[in-house]
Amino acid sequence: MKLSIIGTGYVGLVTGTCFAEVGHHVFCVDNDAAKVKMLQGGGIPIYEPGLEEIVKKNVAAGRLKFTSSTAEGVQESDVIFIAVPTPPQPDGSVDLSYIERVARDIAAAMTSYKIVVDKSTVPVKTGEKVAETIKRYCAAKVEFDVVSNPEFLREGFAVGDLMHPDRVVIGVRSQRPVAAMKEIYTPFQAPIIVTDINSAELIKHAANSFLALKISYINALANICEAAGANVQEVAHGIGLDERIGRRFLNAGIGFGGSCFPKDLSAFIKISEQVGYDFKLLREVQRINADQMERFVKKITDTLWVLKDKKIGVLGLAFKQNTDDVRSSPAIDLCQKLLKDGATLRVHDPKAMAKARPLLPEKGVTYLNDMHAVAEGCDALVVATEWDEFKQLDLARAKKGLTHPILFDGRNLFDPAEMEKLGWIYKSVGR
Ligand code: NAD
């Protein structure tokens, strides 16, 4: 099929590429001219495992193209996906101005029947507004359908998630666009749920809020484990083997972050408020998450006492492993807190250092390409992101580099008994 994706970011680029990979012809559109130029020149603006190869392959096959013209994308395709940002506003509600802008641009370029699919995460009833907007701004007065098709990919695993989704949700107002949507997704061999638009939009916020809830639940349990002398990983294993609960998203740590969970949670609280329900449970999820970071910082200050003039090595800046995304990263938040208290930092991240630089002050932060160099001359080491390679840290070498063998592990990567045997002062979460 001939498709276009408006917004070529983490979602748009991976979605467009995977659509091309299964044989569709895709135009990826972005209004960031520099990004489009980079993509047209063979560059990839984000780090996502496995993405570069399939972008190159599909560009070479002539199935994947990039443009900064929405009109070109719209005219060249039957189905148009919207994958632009839906950032939070100061009160937690969603800024829908990007969606509205794109709806108007699509409307202006439409000269024949189109299916307009919202893939961005949006509040319930946004589909209605998109349909009203397109109708109002479409001078050619052609027919169209609006569809909600929320995206569930995880950064760091996005290609695999797109190629093998757990499910595909399609929200429609009429049956007309269903066959085309099914044709797009049939090659992915996933269960397809066809529902109404409002339900489809709610599914996305409900799913992300539930996952955030799971993380806050295990973090709250971690605090009980610490106080009671239990091990949260043992508890997570014990409850996670129950199929009704599941082991995933039960890793205690310094809390969730990233471009989705915090904003989607705030949005869902706001959406609930707007329809007359006070979703206090989700406010508590937010509170536990913020508290989790404070508790971790307190662990550091309880041990190091005064942070002024202390040198701290930080492993990890991305919001989670396998990505260069630092948007609302707990690791960045932690760095900022340590810097505010007067510490200087030596930091390393396998992929996210370039994107972290603009978020941290220039003074007081040294970026190192080698994770082993981080410990040199530091008073303590902190693990802030769960990159697998950090588990391979040469602990003897790190210990030699530090002035004192202190490790604060915000992601529970090491074994407490082992660390104690090796002579470390080791503080992790919930163990
Ligand atoms: P992003 O910031 O990485 O990408 C958005 C892109 O849209 C940018 O490249 C931007 O330049 C472009 N853009 C903005 N306005 C435009 C316009 N008028 N015309 C053309 N292009 C425009 O964002 P993202 O992470 O891909 O997220 C997009 C949406 O998908 C959001 O609603 C987000 O909540 C949702 N989502 C994100 C993820 C994720 O893991 N990142 C997962 C599922 C859903």
Side-chain angles (χ1 to χ4, degrees):
M1 291 192 70
K2 286 160 79 181
L3 315 175
S4 63
I5 320 275
I6 318 291
T8 308
Y10 283 89
V11 168
L13 180 58
V14 186
T15 308
T17 307
C18 291
F19 282 159
E21 177 70 8
V22 297
H24 301 304
H25 286 262
V26 183
F27 249 110
C28 280
V29 181
D30 206 285
N31 66 352
D32 179 342
K35 191 180 263 191
V36 171
K37 204 168 161 210
M38 182 183 190
L39 286 158
Q40 285 170 338
I44 307 287
I46 54 168
Y47 171 71
E48 191 57 51
L51 180 63
E52 191 167 354
E53 298 89 289
I54 54 169
V55 169
K56 288 202 166 122
K57 182 178 147 199
N58 285 286
V59 168
R63 285 192 299 265
L64 183 60
K65 293 184 183 141
F66 304 100
T67 177
S68 51
S69 162
T70 300
E72 188 182 10
V74 171
Q75 276 144 22
E76 291 294 323
S77 52
D78 308 311
V79 184
I80 302 140
F81 288 79
I82 303 176
V84 294
T86 47
Q89 307 199 92
D91 69 350
S93 65
V94 182
D95 174 358
L96 290 166
S97 61
Y98 295 83
I99 300 278
E100 195 263 356
R101 172 78 257 168
V102 171
R104 279 192 280 145
D105 290 347
I106 293 170
M110 283 182 358
T111 52
S112 59
Y113 172 77
K114 303 284 176 192
I115 299 172
V116 180
V117 185
D118 175 50
K119 198 164 247 315
S120 295
T121 302
V122 294
V124 60
K125 289 181 183 292
T126 300
E128 286 173 14
K129 290 284 176 200
V130 168
E132 268 173 36
T133 305
I134 295 178
K135 197 168 173 200
R136 192 172 304 142
Y137 286 90
C138 179
K141 299 291 170 211
V142 292
E143 290 190 357
F144 67 92
D145 273 299
V146 167
V147 172
S148 166
N149 171 220
E151 182 47 59
F152 302 99
L153 67 80
R154 296 163 300 164
E155 287 178 21
F157 305 91
V159 173
D161 286 348
L162 252 303
M163 295 305 294
H164 311 284
D166 289 342
R167 79 303 207 183
V168 173
V169 174
I170 295 171
V172 290
R173 282 198 304 183
S174 75
Q175 287 304 302
R176 187 172 176 187
V178 172
M181 292 304 295
K182 284 191 171 166
E183 192 178 334
I184 294 169
Y185 279 107
T186 297
F188 298 96
Q189 296 180 333
I192 296 178
I193 299 165
V194 179
T195 181
D196 61 280
I197 295 185
N198 287 349
S199 301
E201 289 168 338
L202 263 180
I203 286 170
K204 175 64 191 177
H205 274 120
N208 270 7
S209 299
F210 190 80
L211 292 171
L213 180 146
K214 245 184 133 176
I215 297 172
S216 278
Y217 185 78
I218 199 70
N219 280 334
L221 277 182
N223 298 326
I224 296 168
C225 286
E226 274 179 26
N231 181 330
V232 73
Q233 279 175 320
E234 298 294 319
V235 175
H237 184 58
I239 62 175
L241 284 177
D242 184 330
E243 268 182 24
R244 294 169 303 174
I245 296 173
R247 177 65 182 84
R248 290 162 80 188
F249 279 78
L250 288 181
N251 294 321
I254 53 174
F256 57 79
S259 69
C260 290
F261 283 3
K263 90 165 164 68
D264 292 349
L265 201 54
S266 311
F268 203 28
I269 291 169
K270 206 73 198 166
I271 293 162
S272 308
E273 196 182 296
Q274 280 159 0
V275 298
Y277 183 74
D278 183 2
F279 214 148
K280 286 189 189 130
L281 177 66
L282 296 187
R283 286 186 211 283
E284 191 57 17
V285 170
Q286 286 181 317
R287 194 199 60 76
I288 293 169
N289 199 51
D291 182 53
Q292 201 63 14
M293 176 60 79
E294 295 308 324
R295 282 172 178 267
F296 191 69
V297 172
K298 187 169 179 305
K299 263 182 205 157
I300 297 175
T301 49
D302 279 352
T303 307
L304 299 183
W305 191 21
V306 174
L307 293 191
K308 193 169 179 298
D309 299 330
K310 293 270 160 60
K311 210 186 267 182
I312 299 176
V314 180
L315 291 171
L317 296 168
F319 85 94
K320 63 174 187 175
Q321 70 160 332
N322 287 331
T323 181
D324 61 348
D325 199 346
V326 290
R327 291 177 287 179
S328 302
S329 168
I332 298 286
D333 186 19
L334 177 62
C335 287
Q336 282 162 344
K337 286 183 163 44
L338 299 176
L339 288 162
K340 193 166 150 269
D341 283 349
T344 56
L345 307 180
R346 288 169 67 78
V347 302
H348 168 75
D349 188 283
K351 296 289 175 196
M353 290 200 287
K355 288 193 175 161
R357 268 177 200 269
L359 302 182
L360 293 172
E362 256 174 52
K363 218 172 142 257
V365 187
T366 307
Y367 296 85
L368 298 145
N369 289 324
D370 174 9
M371 69 170 166
H372 285 105
V374 167
E376 291 305 314
C378 284
D379 297 278
L381 204 53
V382 174
V383 176
T385 309
E386 69 280 23
W387 283 95
D388 268 342
E389 44 253 76
F390 295 160
K391 292 183 195 157
Q392 312 308 322
L393 184 75
D394 182 338
L395 289 165
R397 191 171 153 196
K399 201 168 160 215
K400 237 186 246 158
L402 290 163
T403 57
H404 306 282
I406 305 172
L407 177 57
F408 300 99
D409 185 354
R411 298 296 179 183
N412 288 351
L413 295 190
F414 299 100
D415 177 33
E418 196 62 27
M419 293 301 281
E420 198 179 324
K421 225 182 339 175
L422 294 171
W424 285 84
I425 296 169
Y426 177 71
K427 313 257 174 189
S428 55
V429 181
R431 311 181 300 171

